[in-house]
């Protein structure tokens, strides 16, 4: 992106709008917003458009609610500029499907065949046995799973939350994520979103040590250069086990047990057995030790200084799957120690435990984990709605929160507001949720669609090794960029962007991992949000 490039003064969802939902655009010039249909007839007119200062972008901007439009193409005109939008019955199913398929493109240990992958095919990668870091003579076969992000590492905690987002998307927004997406398992009787999640879960099972603990990650000692995965032949290592990885896997496997129980009871039994063994290891090893990279290891650390949120989530899911009250008691204990109930990322998974209490256990969770938790949760959601209201673009992220992977927080906050609506029936945060989804798809200070393969101005140069090394101009489709990051940028980014405001602290450049990397666990909350809207459009 050329920083001084003049961007259009009308910002839109570049993938279109739904005919059953209000249409919002952002206008950076004031006056009257006219809406013309395909025949040039004026169909709506909004007077008094008055842009106001937005702190995160330092733009003057006004969100305009055009209301409901019928299917068709429209021309918007405001302040002497025009921009075309399209309104469709169901504009976002294709985006949601692509975000799910994006995970297929991250598959490791198998060939991506042309039949499924189109131009983005490659031979099987990372199929050599892995060595145990602590005893390098021990070799184990741990193939499968998804490449985590722009690199080729595979990490248990991040993988567990990604699969959990997908399972909950299927449980709570089913109609928006039950399409076939042309993966090898399509048509096997199971929904593809669960087929895709299972590819990761099968690998997670291989990451469990005999005593029940989970290895923290399977990576090399260093990141590979920008080469294709099949050319990355450096030795992979099973890094030491960790509490956070074990507890996150324990939670996910207990959740997955319920998701796959009817599809494949034998597989589901394996999942719950592995979950219980992980819980037993956690019980027997209560002294929490945060993971840090062993000396000489430079790949992603995913070091997490707190395991209470993982233990809370695991206790909730185990109670939901086994009914054993000891897990309920444990969950109550972790809740009483204080949790961030609207966080769903790899470092804080409290929100996933909250979802289990509020949508799975419900009254069975009891007074503390249902009534009290619900009150706290809904209050936090209202506060998220207020953050969106105070932003010029309607973005539910405070100006000082644009850090690495800001898209996670924006999509996570959208998830919270969706869950609020499902929980209370109150639709007053719906427009705020829409604005987070539109943010991802182009209605933002950068006029950029953050999902590859979509929109007039999509990200093109994501930090993603296959996209950088495959010789194809277009990036691998269906991957979401982390987006602006003013608070932990690389020094070279700071040198380039200096005082650029937070919501514009972004470089669409391959080497900008700090602003333009992709990650499996950024795709997955976007899948949840997309599935919610795709379901609404049915
Ligand atoms: Zn691989």
């Amino acid at each position: 992106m050329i920083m001084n490039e003049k961007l259009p003064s009308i910002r839109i969802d570049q993938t279109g709008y739904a005919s059953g939902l209000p249409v919002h655009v952002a206008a950076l010039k004031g006056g009257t917003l006219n809406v013309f249909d395909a025949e040039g007839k004026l169909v709506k007119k909004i007077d008094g458009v008055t842009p106001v200062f937005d702190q995160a972008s330092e733009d003057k901007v006004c969100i305009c609610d055009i209301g409901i439009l019928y299917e068709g193409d429209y021309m918007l005109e405001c302040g002497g500029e025009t921009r075309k939008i399209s309104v469709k019955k169901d504009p976002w199913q294709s985006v949601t499907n692509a975000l799910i398929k994006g995970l297929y493109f991250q598959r490791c240990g198998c060939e991506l065949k042309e039949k499924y992958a189109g131009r983005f095919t490659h031979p099987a990668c990372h199929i050599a046995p892995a060595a145990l870091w602590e005893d390098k003579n021990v070799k184990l076969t741990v193939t499968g799973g998804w490449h985590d992000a722009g690199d080729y590492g595979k990490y248990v905690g991040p993988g567990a939350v990604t699969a959990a987002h997908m399972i909950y998307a299927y449980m709570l927004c089913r109609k928006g994520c039950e399409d076939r997406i042309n993966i090898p398992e399509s048509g096997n009787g199971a929904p593809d979103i669960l087929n895709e999640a299972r590819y990761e879960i099968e690998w997670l099972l291989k990451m469990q040590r005999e005593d029940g603990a989970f290895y923290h990650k399977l990576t090399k000692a260093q990141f590979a250069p920008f080469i294709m995965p099949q050319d990355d032949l450096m030795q992979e290592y099973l890094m030491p086990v960790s509490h956070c990885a074990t507890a996150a896997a324990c939670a996910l496997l207990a959740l997955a047990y319920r998701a796959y129980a009817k599809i494949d009871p034998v597989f589901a039994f394996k999942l719950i057995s592995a979950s219980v063994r992980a819980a037993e290891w956690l019980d027997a090893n209560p002294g929490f030790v945060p993971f840090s990279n062993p000396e000489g290891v430079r790949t992603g650390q995913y070091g997490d200084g707190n395991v209470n949120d993982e233990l809370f989530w695991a206790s909730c899911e185990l109670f939901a799957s086994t009914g054993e009250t000891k897990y309920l008691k444990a969950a109550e204990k972790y809740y009483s120690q204080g949790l961030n109930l609207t966080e769903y990322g790899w470092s804080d998974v409290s929100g996933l435990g909250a979802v289990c209490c509020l949508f799975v256990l419900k009254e069975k969770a009891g007074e503390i984990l249902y009534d009290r938790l619900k009150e706290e949760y809904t209050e936090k959601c209202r506060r998220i709605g207020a953050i969106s209201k105070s932003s010029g673009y309607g973005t539910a992220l405070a100006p000082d929160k644009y850090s690495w992977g800001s898209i996670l927080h924006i999509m996570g906050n959208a998830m919270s507001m969706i869950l609020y609506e499902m929980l209370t029936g109150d639709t007053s945060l719906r427009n705020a949720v829409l604005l987070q989804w539109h943010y991802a798809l182009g209605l933002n200070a950068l006029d950029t669609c953050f999902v590859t393969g979509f929109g007039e101005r999509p990200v093109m140069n994501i930090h993603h090794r296959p996209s950088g090394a495959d010789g194809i101009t277009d990036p691998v489709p269906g991957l979401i960029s982390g987006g602006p990051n003013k608070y932990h940028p690389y020094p070279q980014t700071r040198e380039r962007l200096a005082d650029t405001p937070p919501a514009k602290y972004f470089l669409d450049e391959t080497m900008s991992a700090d602003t333009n990397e992709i990650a499996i666990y950024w795709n997955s909350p976007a899948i949840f949000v997309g599935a919610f809207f795709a379901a609404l459009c049915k």
Side-chain angles (χ1 to χ4, degrees):
M1 170 164 307
I2 306 151
M3 289 316 295
N4 297 324
E5 153 189 38
K6 195 178 165 301
L7 299 175
S9 72
I10 303 171
R11 304 292 162 81
I12 59 168
D13 185 323
Q14 297 176 14
T15 67
Y17 290 90
S19 52
L21 293 167
V23 172
H24 296 96
V25 301
L28 279 76
K29 289 184 182 168
T32 299
L33 173 75
N34 294 309
V35 183
F36 301 95
D37 68 10
E39 276 78 50
K41 195 177 133 211
L42 181 70
V43 292
K44 295 237 181 176
K45 188 173 164 193
I46 299 173
D47 290 319
V49 173
T50 312
V52 295
F53 183 75
D54 169 56
Q55 206 189 329
S57 62
E58 296 179 13
D59 284 339
K60 284 177 98 177
V61 56
C62 177
I63 292 288
C64 303
D65 185 344
I66 297 172
I68 302 287
L69 293 173
Y70 296 114
E71 282 177 66
D73 290 336
Y74 295 86
M75 189 62 82
L76 309 179
E77 190 271 312
C78 188
E81 276 191 51
T82 59
R83 195 157 188 186
K84 201 177 122 187
I85 58 165
S86 69
V87 178
K88 302 166 204 162
K89 182 175 182 295
D90 184 8
W92 299 310
Q93 188 65 64
S94 57
V95 184
T96 307
N97 291 353
L99 286 164
I100 302 168
K101 181 79 178 261
L103 294 159
Y104 164 78
F105 286 111
Q106 293 294 95
R107 285 192 189 190
C108 181
C110 68
E111 181 188 356
L112 298 194
K113 292 189 174 149
E114 198 186 337
K115 187 179 170 198
Y116 310 111
R119 293 181 287 163
F120 301 98
T121 172
H122 67 71
C125 54
H126 305 110
I127 41 183
L132 210 54
W133 181 261
E134 290 153 304
D135 180 357
K136 296 184 180 60
N137 295 317
V138 178
K139 297 276 172 80
L140 293 158
T141 300
V142 205
T143 51
W146 298 314
H147 301 139
D148 176 64
D151 67 319
Y152 294 131
K154 283 163 283 177
Y155 307 81
V156 165
V161 300
T162 306
H165 294 149
M166 292 165 79
I167 291 173
Y168 273 126
Y170 184 70
M171 286 180 169
L172 299 172
C173 311
R174 180 162 306 184
K175 285 201 167 76
C177 55
E178 57 187 2
D179 277 8
R180 286 191 192 170
I181 55 163
N182 186 30
I183 56 177
E185 299 80 7
S186 293
N188 67 356
D192 274 354
I193 189 169
L194 295 186
N195 282 327
E196 192 51 54
R198 181 168 176 164
Y199 194 80
E200 180 75 353
I201 296 167
E202 299 265 14
W203 170 77
L204 282 171
L205 288 173
K206 299 181 191 174
M207 290 296 283
Q208 189 169 31
R209 200 167 64 177
E210 232 160 69
D211 64 355
F214 278 76
Y215 297 105
H216 190 75
K217 61 176 184 170
L218 174 65
T219 68
K220 285 142 297 184
Q222 317 282 342
F223 285 124
F226 261 64
I227 54 176
M228 288 299 283
Q230 69 274 17
D231 300 327
D232 175 26
L233 301 171
M234 275 191 295
Q235 178 65 53
E236 283 189 305
Y237 296 100
L238 279 160
M239 297 296 174
V241 301
S242 77
H243 283 87
C244 285
T246 303
C250 174
L252 177 270
L253 294 170
L255 163 64
Y257 161 72
R258 302 194 303 277
Y260 296 90
K262 283 199 186 128
I263 294 168
D264 183 346
V266 176
F267 178 58
F269 181 73
K270 255 196 234 177
L271 301 177
I272 193 66
S273 310
S275 174
V276 168
R277 284 197 295 125
E280 285 166 358
W281 183 87
L282 289 161
D283 269 349
N285 295 274
F288 171 55
V289 184
F291 179 85
S292 56
N293 269 334
E295 211 180 317
V297 176
R298 293 258 168 76
T299 44
Q301 178 161 280
Y302 290 105
D304 178 345
N306 189 347
V307 73
N308 276 9
D309 52 298
E310 281 86 0
L311 291 170
F312 169 68
W313 177 31
S315 306
C316 296
E317 299 290 1
L318 275 166
F319 178 59
S321 290
T322 68
E324 286 186 38
T325 48
K326 66 175 178 182
Y327 297 124
L328 179 67
K329 294 285 158 222
E332 285 176 349
K333 182 186 85 183
Y334 297 119
Y335 176 59
S336 72
Q337 292 167 4
L339 295 167
N340 305 308
L341 295 179
T342 50
E343 293 289 334
Y344 314 90
W346 62 266
S347 71
D348 193 335
V349 298
S350 306
L352 292 166
V355 172
C356 181
C357 291
L358 297 170
F359 293 91
V360 180
L361 294 171
K362 301 179 194 169
E363 282 76 13
K364 267 189 248 162
E367 197 264 323
I368 297 171
L369 291 185
Y370 189 71
D371 304 270
R372 210 190 296 173
L373 188 144
K374 183 177 171 184
E375 207 180 307
E376 187 186 339
Y377 188 84
T378 48
E379 176 51 33
K380 278 178 188 276
C381 294
R382 283 188 210 102
R383 264 184 260 156
I384 291 168
I387 296 170
S388 165
K389 265 228 157 84
S390 68
S391 152
Y393 284 94
T395 313
L397 194 68
D400 62 348
K401 293 284 179 343
Y402 284 80
S403 71
W404 196 304
S406 52
I407 197 76
L408 169 69
H409 305 290
I410 296 169
M411 291 298 102
N413 283 343
M415 274 176 71
S416 290
M417 294 189 284
I418 288 168
L419 294 164
Y420 170 87
E421 178 178 325
M422 288 178 174
L423 201 57
T424 62
D426 173 4
T427 55
S428 62
L429 300 181
R430 170 80 66 79
N431 283 343
V433 184
L434 262 173
L435 287 170
Q436 311 320 307
W437 182 236
H438 295 330
Y439 167 91
L441 302 173
L443 198 164
N444 54 52
L446 294 154
D447 193 52
T448 294
C449 177
F450 289 112
V451 179
T452 54
F454 287 87
E456 294 155 47
R457 288 172 36 89
V459 282
M460 286 300 287
N461 306 300
I462 48 172
H463 182 87
H464 179 242
R465 279 165 176 73
S467 294
D470 61 8
I472 301 169
T473 306
D474 292 329
V476 170
L479 299 172
I480 197 163
S481 163
N485 164 24
K486 185 161 185 173
Y487 291 93
H488 300 100
Y490 288 155
Q492 59 268 34
T493 303
R494 188 169 284 148
E495 221 166 85
R496 296 263 303 281
L497 296 180
D499 295 333
T500 302
K504 294 177 177 170
Y505 226 84
F506 175 77
L507 295 168
D508 183 13
E509 292 178 12
T510 304
M511 294 329 287
S512 184
D514 53 339
T515 72
N516 203 23
E517 192 168 4
I518 62 94
I520 54 173
Y521 48 87
W522 298 339
N523 259 55
S524 51
I527 289 168
F528 188 100
V529 180
F532 170 72
F533 283 119
L536 276 186
C537 292
K538 295 284 177 275

